Amino acid sequence: MRSLKIGVLAAVISATSFTALAKDFLNVSYDPTRELYDNFNKEFSAYWKKSTGQDINFKQSHGGSGKQARAVIDGLDADVVTLALAADIDEIAERGLLPKDWQKKFPQNSTPYTSTIVFLVRKGNPKGIKDWGDLIKPGVEIITPNPKTSGGARWNYLAAWAWAKHQTNGNDAKAQEFVRQIYKQTKVLDSGARGATTTFAERGIGDVLLAWENEAFLAVREQPGKFEIITPSLSILAEPPVAVVEKNAKSNGNENISKAYLNYLYSPAGQTVAANNFYRPRNAAVAAKYKSIFKPLKLVTIDKEFGGWSKVQGKHFDNNGVFDQIVKTNSTK
């Protein structure tokens, strides 16, 4: 793994003359990263102030990843984006707001931390949910966001599809039928992952939440004794990417802050913040300290399993794609 070179940050800092005025800085992110970036911003702010003497006025925007990408395209003045999946940043790149090779700008294809998809169930697991196949048992009510607006929902969908395809004699037709049944038994289809968590944890609706791993851990921490996390036998390696929105950052005079901000996510301090917020760190030394928290499981990747986000988006989530076909079929049955 490429490690962060402190010299990179030093070069970014020394190359710029700073004013005493605090700089406004906007990170447009997806739903479940609120706590992560609240903590990270404090860490980076202290680092930047010590290094440069400059204060930063951090602003955050959170929502479903697809909706957030659209907001940036429509004019939301993001300096950086930290979204749920590469396809959303590709959409921004297509509009010329950042280069199309944006994934080459930072290590690990510009994904400083990873996550996966797990199940959150109520204490005691009353419906006996142990793996994906149990989700479609009669009477099980599922909560998952809408893949048309939520990046996390697209990871949920693809993890379910991959599990079904990996079963004995599995194929795409059987996977589509399995995923169709999941949405048939979905009680509420929120627009974003945090909304889905609120529906399940706060409103008490549903038997199982398909969730980002970090979101499930947060729910357990915030409401002790109410929930359990079920780690399935197979899931997907979710790689939430980051990028500098170069056109905006340059216009705002925030190019150097933006690059340093995202680089700092790869530093030991940044990786520790990620791990403390239940994202799987890329840094091996930091990951080793948290290995008791993150259960090992078989993880498929978007590239090897599905041929990459460009192919997935067109086949499954664009208008009249497989997801739309599933919704249409469910509405007639």
Side-chain angles (χ1 to χ4, degrees), residues 10 43 120 134 186:
E43 187 79 26
L120 189 68
D134 297 320
T186 295

Side-chain angles (χ1 to χ4, degrees), residues 38-73:
D38 181 57
N39 294 331
F40 179 75
N41 289 348
K42 293 173 183 175
E43 187 79 26
F44 180 75
S45 180
Y47 162 78
W48 192 254
K49 177 71 171 178
K50 183 178 179 181
S51 302
T52 70
Q54 185 180 41
D55 293 313
I56 300 174
N57 179 27
F58 287 104
K59 297 180 180 179
Q60 288 292 133
S61 175
H62 297 273
S65 188
K67 291 178 67 177
Q68 292 293 82
R70 172 52 55 184
V72 173
I73 291 168

Side-chain angles (χ1 to χ4, degrees), residues 7-36:
V8 172
L9 288 176
V12 167
I13 294 164
S14 62
T16 309
S17 60
F18 299 101
T19 68
L21 296 176
K23 292 288 292 181
D24 288 340
F25 181 84
L26 176 59
N27 175 6
V28 173
S29 197
Y30 64 107
D31 255 341
T33 61
R34 302 165 198 266
E35 295 79 8
L36 167 64

Side-chain angles (χ1 to χ4, degrees), residues 114-117 132 152 154-160 162 232 234-239 297-303 305-306 309:
T114 69
S115 190
T116 189
I117 302 305
W132 290 97
R154 277 173 269 181
W155 289 116
N156 293 350
Y157 172 109
L158 295 171
L234 178 147
S235 195
I236 196 161
L237 178 65
E239 298 179 292
L297 73 162
K298 183 177 180 180
L299 295 173
V300 300
T301 68
I302 192 74
D303 289 338
E305 192 73 19
F306 296 98
W309 272 113

Side-chain angles (χ1 to χ4, degrees), residues 234-256:
L234 178 147
S235 195
I236 196 161
L237 178 65
E239 298 179 292
V242 302
V244 176
V245 186
E246 294 187 11
K247 185 175 181 180
N248 294 347
K250 184 177 181 179
S251 176
N252 296 334
N254 285 340
E255 284 181 290
N256 292 290

Side-chain angles (χ1 to χ4, degrees), residues 296-331:
L297 73 162
K298 183 177 180 180
L299 295 173
V300 300
T301 68
I302 192 74
D303 289 338
K304 290 184 178 180
E305 192 73 19
F306 296 98
W309 272 113
S310 179
K311 185 175 180 180
V312 165
Q313 186 66 31
K315 177 180 178 180
H316 291 274
F317 304 122
D318 280 353
N319 291 338
N320 301 315
V322 175
F323 177 72
D324 283 353
Q325 296 168 30
I326 286 171
V327 171
K328 184 177 181 180
T329 301
N330 281 343
S331 68

